[in-house]
């Protein structure tokens, strides 16, 4: 009897189509890579031939081995898109390397045709901070207490306290260890429009719709003396003198709707001087650390003015905007705001110690660039200025100069610019606009980098994480969003507010947000 063969195996069929043959693995090409510095374009190591599928982590390890540094430094890599190649308006001008050059550049859906395997790939390397911030993903507490919309919120420099100001005429202090209310600061007779922490965390200043500035002790919640009165209209913005200029008793600058800026000495509790010159509301005041201190003011009279903070003299008038100037940012904002406190959590022993630490951190940011300023306006544009390219302000006796020209004009927003902020290291800037987008720019040249889209209403505020790797924004659509700056896409959508979100702040691994629904939300990882 003949042996019966088993029946042939049934061929697995997918919707009537036989299973495709497995694709043979393609060999990865070898490419020539040149590592250059993001700051000055100088080569960091000789050009090397690598497999194109080498991972980003391996590239970082290789660069640290090739360049003579004692400790390994984390790097971010990107390839610049050749000019004129990006046919889609608003497309990113650079491609970040998140997986490998093969994955991110050679297989890119749009830009891959600009590059071939024979090209020399110039990898721009920017050193990242040595610590990492875990971006928040959940709401850890919802704090009620204010009986009107929350108009401003600010973490203290160390991130231990939180202050919020509201339309119910009070400011509140919150304990962030227990996430509970600690003090209610009542005294204003109108809305509390701005809260500002001194960089040593000893005092808190609040400005109100009643035109008064009040100083509080954050530990006890008690007012330090009476209100500082002098402005005839409401307070638009407050700013403390940097710690590296005056560690023991920093002065306070307040700008107002009445068109003036007043600088208060908290030792005498009197006005040291009043800066008049603007012909409309002064929307923002910033205290820069150049020389012995300079004040930058932005106004609805379409100008930005620069003043010598020691003598109260006007140095420059920056005229380029065609509409109200709403927002200002300095590339040193982060170090001026946090003074002597860095990510290590060490506390300075004395005022002199604090001054030394603060000066060290300030000079570290300015080691490769002068103090820069970005102004954003209702004319849909921003300007990048460098009023003191050589470092120190030169005071001329023949009055203010108007010859200062902007470094660049930042165009792309299609509606009013509501807020702009520099990253902590000053390399990048993010701008928020009523056109529902956030745009990222190079902080030193003003070159456009990418647009972050995802909001469905105007964006009101942006804030950077302390390591400069993430941006958070809030807006009219009642959401808070965090963005991933490697791929310029949405990272986390933090939903939970039931109405517009007016203010957001980001310190350590915590985000705070507040708005029209009268609750403060704290978000954590």
């Amino acid at each position: 009897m003949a042996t019966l063969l088993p029946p042939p195996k049934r061929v697995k069929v997918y919707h009537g189509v036989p299973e495709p043959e497995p694709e043979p693995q393609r060999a990865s090409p070898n490419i020539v890579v040149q590592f250059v510095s993001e700051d000055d374009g100088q080569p960091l190591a000789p050009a090397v031939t690598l497999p194109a599928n080498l991972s980003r982590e391996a590239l970082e390890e290789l660069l640290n081995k090739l360049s003579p540094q004692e400790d390994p430094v984390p790097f971010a890599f990107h390839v610049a898109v050749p000019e004129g190649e990006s046919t889609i308006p608003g497309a990113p001008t650079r491609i970040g390397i998140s997986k490998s050059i093969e994955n991110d550049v050679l297989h890119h859906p749009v830009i891959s045709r600009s590059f071939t395997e024979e090209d020399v790939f110039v990898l721009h390397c920017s050193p990242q901070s040595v610590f990492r911030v875990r971006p928040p993903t959940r709401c850890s507490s919802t704090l009620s207490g204010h009986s009107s919309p929350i108009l401003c919120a600010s973490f203290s420099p160390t991130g231990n306290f939180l202050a919020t100001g509201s339309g119910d005429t009070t400011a509140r202090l919150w304990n962030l260890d227990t996430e509970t209310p600690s003090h209610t600061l009542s005294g204003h007779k109108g809305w509390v429009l701005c809260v500002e922490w001194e960089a040593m965390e000893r005092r808190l200043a609040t400005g109100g719709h009643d035109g008064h500035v009040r100083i509080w002790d954050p530990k006890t919640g008690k007012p330090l003396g009476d209100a500082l009165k002098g402005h005839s209209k409401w307070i638009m913005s407050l700013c403390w003198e940097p710690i590296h200029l005056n560690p023991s008793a920093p002065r306070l600058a307040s700008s107002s709707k009445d068109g003036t800026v007043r600088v208060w000495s908290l030792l005498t509790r009197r006005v040291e001087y009043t800066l008049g010159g603007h012909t409309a509301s002064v929307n923002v005041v910033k205290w820069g650390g150049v020389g012995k201190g300079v004040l930058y003011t932005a106004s609805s009279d379409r100008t930005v003015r620069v003043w010598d903070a020691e003598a109260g003299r006007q140095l420059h008038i920056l005229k380029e905007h065609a509409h109200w100037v709403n927002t200002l940012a300095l590339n040193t904002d982060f170090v001026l705001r946090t003074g002597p406190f860095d990510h290590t959590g060490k506390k300075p022993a004395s005022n002199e110690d604090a001054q030394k630490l603060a000066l060290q951190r300030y000079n570290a940011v300015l080691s490769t660039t002068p103090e820069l300023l970005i102004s954003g306006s209702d004319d849909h544009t921003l300007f990048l200025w460098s009023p003191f390219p050589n470092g120190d302000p030169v005071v001329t006796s023949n009055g203010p100069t108007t010859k200062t020209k902007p470094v660049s004009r930042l165009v792309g927003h299609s509606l009013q610019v509501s807020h702009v902020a520099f990253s902590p290291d000053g390399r990048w800037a993010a701008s928020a606009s009523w056109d529902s987008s956030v745009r990222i720019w190079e902080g030193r040249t003003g070159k456009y980098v990418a647009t972050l889209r995802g909001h469905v209403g105007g964006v009101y505020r942006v804030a950077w994480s302390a390591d400069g790797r993430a941006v958070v924004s809030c807006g009219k659509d009642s959401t808070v969003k965090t963005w991933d700056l490697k791929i310029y896409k949405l990272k986390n959508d933090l939903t939970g507010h039931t109405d517009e979100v007016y203010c957001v702040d980001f310190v350590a691994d915590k985000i705070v947000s507040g708005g029209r629904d009268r609750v403060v939300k704290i978000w954590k990882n």
Side-chain angles (χ1 to χ4, degrees):
M1 185 178 150
T3 313
L4 278 174
L5 287 170
K9 267 178 135 179
R10 274 195 321 171
V11 180
K12 206 170 182 185
V13 176
Y14 294 84
H15 304 289
V17 182
E19 184 180 9
E21 290 285 314
E23 275 188 30
Q25 222 173 355
R26 284 173 52 199
S28 181
N30 280 350
I31 54 172
V32 179
V33 173
Q34 173 72 66
F35 295 102
V36 302
S37 162
E38 167 79 33
D39 295 336
D40 50 12
Q42 293 299 318
L44 295 174
V48 284
T49 306
L50 309 167
N53 62 358
L54 199 66
S55 70
R56 198 199 74 80
E57 291 72 22
L59 285 171
E60 192 176 288
E61 203 176 319
L62 174 71
L63 178 57
N64 276 309
K65 285 220 166 65
L66 290 172
S67 52
Q69 279 150 347
E70 289 139 32
D71 298 326
V73 178
F75 282 98
F77 302 106
H78 74 262
V79 174
V81 177
E83 279 186 23
E85 290 289 345
S86 171
T87 48
I88 303 167
T93 55
R94 57 179 60 204
I95 308 168
I97 306 298
S98 55
K99 289 183 183 157
S100 66
I101 295 180
E102 183 173 42
N103 221 313
D104 297 322
V105 180
L106 292 174
H107 294 170
H108 192 282
V110 180
I111 292 155
S112 55
R113 59 175 181 270
S114 312
F115 296 96
T116 65
E117 293 157 15
E118 278 78 41
D119 289 342
V120 174
F121 286 81
V122 179
L123 267 195
H124 297 266
C125 316
S126 48
Q128 302 283 286
S129 56
V130 289
F131 61 95
R132 283 191 94 92
V133 170
R134 296 182 308 231
T137 53
R138 63 187 175 88
C139 178
S140 71
S141 50
T142 301
L143 308 171
S144 53
H146 282 299
S147 58
S148 278
I150 292 157
L151 306 174
C152 48
S154 176
F155 282 114
S156 66
T158 59
N160 294 337
F161 300 100
L162 165 66
T164 55
S166 160
D168 60 9
T169 75
T170 65
R172 280 175 182 256
L173 286 168
W174 311 84
N175 179 341
L176 289 178
D177 296 326
T178 57
E179 301 190 355
T180 51
S182 65
H183 299 103
T184 302
L185 316 177
S186 36
H188 283 289
K189 301 200 171 51
W191 305 338
V192 180
L193 298 172
C194 39
V195 291
E196 194 69 34
W197 288 91
E198 183 214 52
M200 289 278 282
E201 219 174 71
R202 296 169 296 202
R203 303 186 192 94
L204 173 71
T206 57
H209 202 271
D210 51 8
H212 297 172
V213 177
R214 288 181 179 267
I215 313 295
W216 311 85
D217 179 350
K219 298 215 170 32
T220 62
K222 298 266 184 298
L224 296 171
D226 201 19
L228 306 174
K229 301 175 183 173
H231 285 295
S232 58
K233 286 190 179 165
W234 56 92
I235 310 295
M236 298 294 287
S237 145
L238 296 167
C239 196
W240 290 91
E241 188 170 13
I243 291 296
H244 68 264
L245 299 176
N246 187 348
S248 52
R251 295 171 291 174
L252 176 69
S254 62
S255 74
S256 165
K257 179 77 176 167
D258 62 13
T260 64
V261 174
R262 287 171 182 261
V263 174
W264 310 85
S265 159
L266 296 187
L267 296 172
T268 60
R269 302 191 65 78
R270 291 223 168 92
V271 178
E272 281 207 358
Y273 51 81
T274 304
L275 306 176
H278 283 295
T279 55
S281 162
V282 184
N283 301 324
V284 196
V285 58
K286 292 273 182 196
W287 203 313
V290 179
K292 292 188 176 169
V294 286
L295 285 161
Y296 304 93
T297 57
S299 163
S300 293
D301 65 6
R302 311 199 300 273
T303 66
V304 175
R305 291 173 193 244
V306 186
W307 316 76
D308 173 9
E310 202 184 13
R313 241 198 336 267
Q314 192 165 297
L315 301 175
H316 298 300
I317 305 173
L318 313 179
K319 293 182 176 173
E320 284 291 335
H321 282 295
H323 210 308
W324 304 343
V325 188
N326 299 322
T327 173
L328 275 188
L330 299 177
N331 60 350
T332 51
D333 270 341
F334 181 78
V335 288
L336 295 180
R337 171 187 170 175
T338 50
F341 303 109
D342 61 6
H343 65 280
T344 55
K346 288 203 287 275
K347 284 209 164 35
S350 63
N351 282 344
E352 289 67 42
D353 198 20
Q355 182 168 19
K356 203 166 85 208
L357 282 167
L359 187 60
Q360 218 172 321
R361 296 185 66 214
Y362 179 76
N363 289 337
V365 172
L366 295 193
S367 58
T368 53
T369 167
E371 190 164 78
L372 301 171
L373 172 77
I374 285 188
S375 58
S377 157
D378 268 12
D379 64 6
H380 313 181
T381 68
L382 302 106
F383 280 98
L384 175 67
W385 309 87
S386 176
F388 310 113
N390 312 324
D392 269 2
V394 181
V395 179
T396 51
S397 52
N398 51 10
T401 62
T402 54
K403 290 193 178 66
T404 314
K405 283 280 165 261
V407 177
S408 64
R409 182 169 185 239
L410 286 59
V411 294
H413 283 300
S414 55
L415 284 173
Q416 294 92 322
V417 177
S418 51
H419 191 221
V420 62
F422 268 102
S423 65
D425 57 7
R427 287 174 191 279
W428 313 104
S431 60
S433 162
W434 289 80
D435 64 8
S436 321
S437 73
V438 175
R439 281 177 181 253
I440 306 291
W441 315 86
E442 275 182 29
R444 294 168 187 187
T445 58
K447 219 173 123 200
Y448 165 77
V449 176
T451 306
L452 310 177
R453 298 196 186 279
H455 281 286
V456 292
V459 188
Y460 293 154
R461 305 279 299 182
V462 285
W464 286 82
S465 65
D467 62 355
R469 288 184 176 95
V471 166
V472 60
S473 60
C474 69
K476 192 172 178 164
D477 60 5
S478 77
T479 66
V480 177
K481 295 186 193 301
T482 58
W483 306 90
D484 184 341
L485 294 186
K486 274 204 181 82
I487 51 173
Y488 304 115
K489 293 273 189 302
L490 182 67
K491 193 174 189 102
N492 287 309
D493 209 343
L494 308 176
T495 54
H497 281 288
T498 55
D499 212 331
E500 304 185 16
V501 187
Y502 292 142
C503 51
V504 70
D505 199 6
F506 197 155
V507 158
D509 55 355
K510 293 189 283 276
I511 290 176
V512 62
S513 58
R516 202 164 162 183
D517 59 0
R518 310 196 288 279
V519 294
V520 176
K521 281 187 181 282
I522 294 173
W523 312 85
K524 277 193 181 158
N525 182 277

